């Protein structure tokens, strides 16, 4: 790789506010150096939760490195993993780490190697709702479980009222909305319910939705559309999409002194409770969804870029390493809070860059 360009980063967005939900900054962007690949085409697919971050990263990188083309298709984590394991993409995006079975399958895709999970951006799984006249809503894990499983059917249910004593809750039917596609966001939300709601959520944490009732929509944007167009709806989605689509969000009663809403800062505190459980170059994380730490939002995820530790596509490898090094860099991470994501802890981001340098 050679130093091939200047990256505009840190003080503004390259796209329209419609792309990212942000207004372009009035001040000129700062200039930093980027180690560009000379050429290459890098295709990725997967998590829709990271779409807004990926859109920003791609525009900034390609502005600095015009010889490289980056493409990302936000099909959902399940489809992104499947495409990567078929060898159709250079990297997959997923909001949950690969299963042991998927790692074994990757040994056929990654010549003399296997797939590894590289954390790249964190964030909260927001719970969006649509109740005209209600601007603030507090729920806890057992109540969320029963709402999404169709066991609480009206918004004036005593269990919801008990958490919102000062709110005039209407007798509106509850319309839960879940993802129709296999999704790491679904897996993280069900992991939270499994751990924090106890017996109120009897289902395992899978990428496919296992609760009963409700309607479905594809991707976080589909969930946002369904929630905003249906009175009484509640759904789970990426925070950046919730902000972009003006979806009201729930604060979660975790047992701390006050309920916690979804923000990049509260998600960072939740992610700080995680520990690395991957082996070797794999940096997959395990979260404490039952945390009651002050100010820590418990429904969090980290979106991973999935690559081969060895056996990556030779034609795209230099560009892949260059691009991912940027996304994990200080410049790539520092913009994330303005896009409603949580940056990686500095030590973890450094570990990710160290692994990227060794990819072959």
């Amino acid at each position: 790789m050679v130093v091939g360009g200047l990256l505009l980063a840190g003080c503004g967005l390259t796209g329209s506010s419609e792309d990212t939900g942000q207004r372009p900054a009035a001040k000129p962007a700062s200039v930093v150096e980027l180690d560009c690949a000379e050429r290459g085409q890098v295709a990725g697919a997967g998590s829709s939760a990271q779409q807004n971050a990926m859109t920003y990263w791609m525009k900034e990188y390609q502005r600095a490195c015009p010889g490289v083309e980056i493409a990302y298709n936000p099909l959902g984590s399940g489809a992104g993993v499947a495409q990567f394991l078929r060898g159709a993409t250079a990297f997959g995006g997923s909001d949950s780490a690969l299963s042991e079975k998927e790692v074994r399958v990757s040994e056929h895709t990654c010549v003399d190697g296997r797939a590894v999970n590289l954390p790249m951006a964190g964030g909260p799984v927001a719970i969006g709702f649509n109740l005209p006249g209600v601007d603030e809503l507090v729920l806890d894990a057992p109540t969320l479980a029963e709402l999404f499983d169709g066991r609480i059917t009206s918004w004036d249910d005593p269990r919801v009222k008990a958490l919102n004593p000062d709110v005039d809750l209407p007798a509106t039917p509850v319309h839960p909305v879940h993802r129709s596609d296999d999704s790491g966001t679904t897996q993280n939300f069900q992991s939270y319910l499994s751990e924090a709601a106890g017996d109120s959520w009897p289902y395992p944490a899978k990428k496919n939705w296992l609760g009963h009732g409700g309607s479905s929509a594809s991707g976080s944007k589909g969930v946002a559309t369904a929630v905003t167009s249906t009175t009484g709806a509640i759904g789970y989605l990426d925070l950046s999409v919730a902000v972009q689509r003006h979806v009201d969000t729930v604060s979660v009663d975790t047992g701390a002194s006050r309920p916690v809403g979804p923000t990049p800062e509260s998600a960072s505190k939740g992610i700080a409770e995680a520990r690395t459980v991957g082996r070797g170059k794999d940096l997959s994380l395990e979260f404490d969804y039952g945390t009651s730490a002050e100010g820590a939002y418990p429904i969090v995820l980290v979106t991973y870029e999935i690559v081969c530790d060895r056996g990556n596509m030779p034609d795209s490898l230099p560009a892949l390493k260059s691009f991912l090094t940027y996304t994990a860099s200080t410049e790539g991470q520092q913009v994330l809070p303005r896009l409603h994501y949580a940056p990686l802890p500095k030590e973890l981001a450094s570990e990710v860059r160290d692994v990227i340098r060794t990819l072959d």
Side-chain angles (χ1 to χ4, degrees):
M1 293 185 290
V2 298
V3 176
L6 297 176
L7 177 68
L8 303 177
C11 293
L13 305 182
T14 61
S16 68
S17 58
E18 181 177 326
D19 288 336
T20 60
Q22 299 290 305
R23 293 182 178 180
K27 296 180 181 179
S30 61
V31 178
V32 297
E33 292 185 350
L34 173 66
D35 193 18
C36 288
E38 293 181 335
R39 67 183 67 86
Q41 294 180 325
V42 179
S47 162
S48 65
Q50 71 172 353
Q51 181 180 1
N52 286 342
M54 190 60 68
T55 297
Y56 177 88
W57 286 331
M58 290 190 300
K59 286 182 177 178
E60 293 298 299
Y61 182 86
Q62 289 175 139
R63 173 183 290 186
C65 307
V68 177
E69 296 179 25
I70 312 289
Y72 184 76
N73 193 347
L75 300 171
S77 296
V81 169
Q83 287 211 3
F84 174 78
L85 293 177
R86 290 198 302 269
T89 56
F91 71 97
S94 178
D95 303 329
S96 59
L98 295 176
S99 67
E100 292 184 7
K101 180 180 178 181
E102 288 168 335
V103 172
R104 290 195 298 271
V105 172
S106 77
E107 294 173 359
H108 300 285
T109 305
C110 305
V111 180
D112 296 326
R114 66 183 183 91
V116 292
N117 303 281
L118 301 181
M120 202 57 72
V125 179
I127 309 299
F129 69 95
N130 180 355
L131 280 176
V134 178
D135 298 322
E136 297 181 358
L137 187 68
V138 174
L139 298 170
D140 60 12
T143 308
L144 281 166
E146 296 192 24
L147 284 162
F148 275 93
D149 202 27
R151 283 174 280 142
I152 294 178
T153 59
S154 177
W155 280 107
D156 62 351
D157 185 279
R159 287 162 288 188
V160 181
K161 281 186 171 182
L163 293 163
N164 299 273
D166 299 324
V167 178
D168 184 15
L169 291 164
T172 303
V174 176
H175 294 285
V177 182
H178 58 267
R179 291 278 291 270
S180 59
D181 51 317
D182 284 358
S183 159
T185 305
T186 295
Q187 186 166 14
N188 280 276
F189 182 46
Q190 292 189 121
S191 293
Y192 162 73
L193 294 175
S194 295
E195 184 171 334
D199 293 340
S200 295
W201 191 257
Y203 313 110
K206 300 289 186 181
K207 288 182 180 177
N208 59 301
W209 181 251
L210 297 176
H212 294 125
S215 59
S216 63
S218 179
S220 279
K221 290 186 176 180
V223 172
T225 298
V227 169
T228 55
S229 62
T230 308
T231 300
I234 184 170
Y236 58 91
L237 69 165
D238 169 55
L239 177 64
S240 69
V241 174
V243 172
Q244 186 182 46
R245 300 295 183 89
H246 306 289
V247 181
D248 290 328
T249 57
V250 167
S251 293
V252 178
D253 184 345
T254 65
S257 63
R258 61 181 62 186
V260 186
T263 66
E265 294 74 23
S266 64
S268 291
K269 292 180 180 180
I271 293 168
E273 303 293 310
R275 61 190 185 94
T276 303
V277 295
R279 303 187 308 274
K281 296 179 182 180
D282 185 83
L283 298 177
S284 54
L285 303 175
E286 182 175 273
F287 297 107
D288 178 10
Y289 293 105
T291 182
S292 57
E294 292 295 331
Y297 187 77
I299 320 174
V300 292
L301 59 78
V302 162
T303 185
Y304 298 96
E305 312 311 339
I306 297 167
V307 296
C308 297
D309 60 356
R310 298 186 63 187
N312 289 283
M313 302 175 186
D315 291 345
S316 61
L317 180 59
L320 174 68
K321 292 171 70 172
S322 173
F323 175 62
L324 293 183
T325 297
Y326 158 59
T327 63
S329 71
T330 300
E331 291 76 20
Q333 291 288 304
Q334 69 184 6
V335 73
L336 291 178
R338 283 184 281 132
L339 301 177
H340 309 289
Y341 297 91
L344 299 177
K346 290 182 179 179
E347 289 185 6
L348 180 58
S350 178
E351 289 183 65
V352 171
R353 295 193 297 271
D354 287 343
V355 171
I356 291 168
R357 280 193 286 269
T358 70
L359 298 179
D360 194 7

